[in-house]
Amino acid sequence: QVHLVESGGGLVQAGGSLRLSCAASGYTFSTYVMGWFRQAPGKEREFVAAVTRSYSPAYADSVKGRFTISRDNAKSTMYLQMNSLKVEDTAVYYCARRGDRDNVVSLIRDAYDYWGQGTQVTVSS
């Protein structure tokens, strides 16, 4: 059974940093594209970043230059290093597995079939 578990969220001041982790189990992690999404109160869940099987990243314009996505296939874990955090980054962050074996990132929520429970990130001013 596929499980995705996020960790690393918390409360941080604007300008600070956090590192999120997503631990995967129940499937061969290295063979799937993985992504991060976030959802702020009252807003739709939006794409943040994704990484291909061959470690190629893609980012939303809003986080480009501040966030870095990575993966460790040996540990079946994906990471999101978030620097220079802004108040508008406040949201629940979810990791997700792309639902097919295409080695191309997708910005579309429906392209992902399994999701973690989310981890709260709160950035204070």
Side-chain angles (χ1 to χ4, degrees):
Q1 189 173 3
V2 175
H3 281 293
L4 300 173
V5 180
E6 302 96 337
S7 62
L11 173 64
V12 64
Q13 287 191 327
S17 298
L18 282 174
R19 187 195 196 202
L20 305 184
S21 298
C22 171
S25 61
Y27 71 102
T28 305
F29 178 77
S30 62
T31 62
Y32 286 84
V33 169
M34 296 293 296
W36 287 99
F37 287 73
R38 67 186 181 187
Q39 187 166 17
K43 294 188 176 182
E44 294 286 321
R45 191 170 299 188
E46 64 175 4
F47 172 80
V48 175
V51 60
T52 68
R53 299 196 301 263
S54 44
Y55 304 94
S56 294
Y59 299 95
D61 288 344
S62 59
V63 307
K64 203 171 293 184
R66 300 187 297 122
F67 290 10
T68 302
I69 189 171
S70 61
R71 65 190 297 163
D72 185 337
N73 288 340
K75 295 182 178 179
S76 297
T77 302
M78 176 177 65
Y79 304 96
L80 186 68
Q81 177 67 43
M82 305 186 295
N83 298 329
S84 302
L85 281 161
K86 303 176 180 180
V87 172
E88 51 264 42
D89 293 319
T90 295
V92 178
Y93 283 71
Y94 299 89
C95 68
R97 186 190 83 166
R98 178 162 179 158
D100 57 38
R101 297 298 183 96
D102 285 354
N103 193 27
V104 177
V105 300
S106 174
L107 282 60
I108 307 301
R109 187 177 60 189
D110 289 347
Y112 296 81
D113 60 351
Y114 283 94
W115 296 78
Q117 82 289 349
T119 186
Q120 176 70 47
V121 172
T122 303
V123 184
S124 63
S125 59

